[in-house]
Amino acid sequence: MNAKEGFIGQSVLRREDARFLTGRGQYTDDITLQGQTYAAFLRSPHAHAKITSISTAEAAKAPGVLAILTGEHFKAVGGLPCGWLINNIDGTPMKEPKHPVLADGKVRYVGDRVALVVAETLEQAQAARDLIEVEYDVIAPVIDLATVNQAPTSVHDEAPDNRCYLWHIGDKDGTDAAFAGAAHVSKLSFRNNRLVPNAIEPRAANASYNPSDDSYTLYVANQNPHVERLLMCAFVLGIPEHKMRVVAPDVGGGFGSKIFLYGEETALVFASKIVKRPIKWTAERSEAFLSDAHGRDHLTTAELALDKNGKFLGLRVHTTANLGAYLSTFASAVPTILYATLLAGQYLTPKISCTVNAVFTNTSPVDAYRGAGRPEATFVVERIVETAARELGLDPAELRRRNFVRTFPYATPVGLTYDTGDYDATLNRATELADVAGFEARKAASKAKGLERGIGYSCYIEACGIAPSSIAGALGARAGLFEAGEVRVHPTGKVTIFTGSHSHGQGHETTFAQVVADKLGIPLDDVTIEHGDTAKVLFGMGTYGSRSLAVGGSAIVKAVDKVIAKGKKIAAHLMEAADSDVVFEGGQFKVAGTDKAVPFAAVSLTAYVPHNFPHDKLEPGLNENAFYDPSNFTYPAGTYICEVEVDRATGVVRVDRFTACDDFGNVVNPMIVEGQVQGGIGQGIGQALRENCVYDTESGQLLTGSYMDYAMPRADDFPHFTIETVKGTPCTHNPLGVKGCGEAGAIGSPPAVINAVCHALGIQNLNMPASPHNVWQAIQGAN
C-alpha cells in the first residue's frame, strides 16, 4: 500500500500494536521518578457513617511514613466538580452537595476515601494505613432504588428526600392524549443493571512537585488530560493552570471510567507539595470495584401506544436513575441529555414524554460507561417495541419497518435532529446475514436437543461525537465540546500531528495517520501522532462519546487544509504561477492545465528557507492548528439480531448466533471499526448475561467486589460474530463524513439478547442479567 493508492478505507494494521504486544507500552504504573514514594488510601468499611474520631499517631510512627492526610487537610479546597448542570421541572437547579477529596466528617459509601498515607515503599504505606484508628457512628444506608425517596435517612442534608433532580423532556399532555386514543398499549417495568467498568489497567497516578518553579506534573491513567487539569486546578486545588502539566501516557482501556476527576489523583497532587517528592498510587482490583465510577443502574417503566395498524402514537417513560453517593464529573448528564433525547430511536413516534428522578444513594458514584445513556435508552425502546410486536402477533422486523424514519433531516420529539440514515438498509442486510428465513429449522433442531431457541432484534441509533458546544451549553454543559488539532510539517516533509483526543485502545496512531497521509499524499510512515500531554498539545476535550474521528479527526483535517492552502502560495511562487491556478493532488502542487508540478516535500523545505519565497507576504514555516466544534451530533445506527438457546432445566443461556449490521458513514479503517464493534458486543452480552453489581440493601456492603462474585464474560460465552458495515449514509456536517463507532456494540446488543431469551421462553419480561438463576426463576414464574 502506498500514498498513490490512498489510505482512507484501507484496513491498515494498527501501528501501536507492536509496542503493546511486545511489552514496550508505557503505562502510568511503569513510570518511576527520582525520589519516588508511594501512597495507600484508607477507605470506609461502612456505607453511611459519621466519623467521630481519627487517630493517626501510631501510623505516623511507622517505618518509612512521610505524611498522613485526612479530610482536615482539604477543608480549604474545593470539592470535585460536576461538569453538567441539570434543572428540575420547576426550573430550580439540581442539588449539588460538595464532593470532598477525602471524607469530611462523614462517609457515604463503602470505599469512600478517609485518609492518605505516603511512605517510602508501597508496603510501608499499606502497613501504616492499617494502623490508623477511625471511630464511626454508623447510620442506616440508603440503597434501594424503589424506596429511595421515602428512605428514613438522607445521603446528604441538602437533599432530604435523596433527590438530586426531577427532570422532564417531551410533551406530557400530548403523550397522555395519544395514549387515550390508542388501540393497544404495551407496558414494561425493568432494571438496567449496575456495572463495574473493569478496564484491564486499573486507575493509576504519579504526582510530583517541583519547588524550583512551583510547578506540578501528574502522570495519570485518564482519557482527557486537559479537562483533568482544568477541573483540578480551577475548581479544587487553586493551582494556576500553567503550573500544572498532566500526562496521560499509554492507557489500558477506559470505557468512560477514566474521563472523570477522582479524589485519588487530586490528593496525590496536593500531597506532593507537602513531601516534595513524587507520589505513586495504582489501584488494586478490589479498590477499583469499590471506588471506580460505576455505570447504568436505572429503574424504568415504559409504555408504548399504538394504533390499530401498528403505528406508534406515543412513548411514556419514567426512570429512577442512581447517581451514587456524589455527583461524578458527568453524572448528571447521563440519565438526561444522553438518555432521554435518544428515546425516539429509529422511529416516527410523534409524542414522547420522559421523567427522570435522579437520586443519591450510599453507593459508589455512577457516571458514563461505554455508551453512557444511549444503551439505557436503546434498551427501553427496543424492549418495548419487541414486546409490542409479540403481543400483537406481528413480526418484530415488520413492526419496526412500519415505523422507521425515512425522510431526513428529521427532528425528533425529544430535541435531536437526525441528519441522515437508512434504517431499512441495515435491517434488511442484517436479516439476510442472520439467515432469519432459516430460524424455524434451527428452532426445531434445538427442540430436538431439549433446548428452546429464540431470536431477538435491536435497531439502535446513537447520538455521538459529543458536541456541539452551543447545544450542549444550552442543555447545561459547563465546558466546551470542541476538539483541537495541530499539524507540524518538518522541513523534509515529515509530519507530526498533535491532537487533543486521547487514544486508549481506539487506534488513533493509525487512523489519524491514515487521514493525514491520504490528504497530503505522503507515505503513512511519514506521519507521527502525539497526544496525551498538556505540555505538547493544544487544549482539547479528550476521548469519550465516540467523538475522536468525527470531532478530533475533523480538527486535524481543518489544520491540514490550512497547510495545503499555504503550500499553494509557496508552490505558486516556485512555479511562477498565480495562487488561484495551483491545485494539490497526489502529494504534488500543480499548475492546472500544465505539466508543472512540485512535490509536497519541496514546498515544505522551501517554507523553512524564507529567501526562496515571498517572505514579505508569508511567514516562514508550515505549521497550522485548528479547533473544530461540530454543528450537530453524528448518528450511527444499525440492526443487531441475536439467537440464543435456553435450557429450561437449568436456566443456562447460550448465545448461538449474533449478527451486527451498522451504518457508520464513511469508514477510515474497516478492521479497526470491526474490532470496536466486536469489543462493544462483548461488553453488551456481558451486561445481558453475566455482569451485575449488587449492594446489600441492609448494610450497603458491595456483594460483588471481586471476580469471584462479579461475573465477567469469557471467550466461551460468545459465538462467532457476523459483523458488516453497510455502505453508509455519510455524516453531512463533518469533512470526513464519518460517524462514531466505539460504543455501538455495547448499545445495540443487550436488548437483542434479552429479546431473544424472552422469545425462546415465551415470556414478555426479564431483568438483566439473564443469569441461570434469574432465567430459572423466570421460567418457574411463567409456569
Side-chain angles (χ1 to χ4, degrees), residues 118-137:
V118 182
E120 295 285 355
T121 70
L122 177 59
E123 292 76 15
Q124 289 173 333
Q126 292 172 335
R129 173 195 62 194
D130 296 340
L131 296 175
I132 298 174
E133 297 177 358
V134 185
E135 293 188 1
Y136 297 95
D137 183 5

Side-chain angles (χ1 to χ4, degrees), residues 508-521:
H508 294 171
E509 292 174 38
T510 304
T511 51
F512 285 1
Q514 285 181 254
V515 170
V516 174
D518 191 274
K519 288 277 291 181
L520 294 178

Side-chain angles (χ1 to χ4, degrees), residues 168 175 179 300-303 315-319 339 343 352-356 380:
H168 179 266
T175 303
F179 273 81
T300 294
T301 297
E303 300 171 275
L315 177 66
R316 188 160 53 199
V317 177
H318 184 280
T319 292
Y339 164 66
L343 289 173
I352 299 176
S353 174
C354 178
T355 301
V356 176
V380 170

Side-chain angles (χ1 to χ4, degrees), residues 495-619:
V495 178
T496 302
I497 303 297
F498 298 87
T499 174
S501 299
H502 186 275
S503 182
H504 41 277
Q506 292 83 355
H508 294 171
E509 292 174 38
T510 304
T511 51
F512 285 1
Q514 285 181 254
V515 170
V516 174
D518 191 274
K519 288 277 291 181
L520 294 178
I522 60 178
L524 195 65
D525 289 341
D526 285 1
V527 183
T528 300
I529 308 297
E530 295 281 349
H531 64 91
D533 187 341
T534 61
K536 295 180 179 180
V537 177
L538 295 168
F539 189 101
M541 300 307 295
T543 293
Y544 47 86
S546 301
R547 72 192 301 270
S548 295
L549 194 57
V551 186
S554 293
I556 292 169
V557 168
K558 288 186 67 177
V560 169
D561 288 341
K562 291 181 180 180
V563 166
I564 293 172
K566 183 175 181 179
K568 286 180 179 180
K569 295 178 180 179
I570 297 172
H573 175 76
L574 293 176
M575 295 184 289
E576 299 180 338
D579 297 358
S580 58
D581 291 336
V582 177
V583 296
F584 182 70
E585 56 187 29
Q588 291 188 317
F589 294 92
K590 302 176 181 179
V591 178
T594 74
D595 60 357
K596 288 184 176 182
V598 290
F600 178 75
V603 169
S604 66
L605 181 60
T606 302
Y608 291 92
V609 185
H611 59 270
N612 284 343
F613 68 92
H615 54 276
D616 56 325
K617 297 179 181 179
L618 291 173
E619 295 179 350

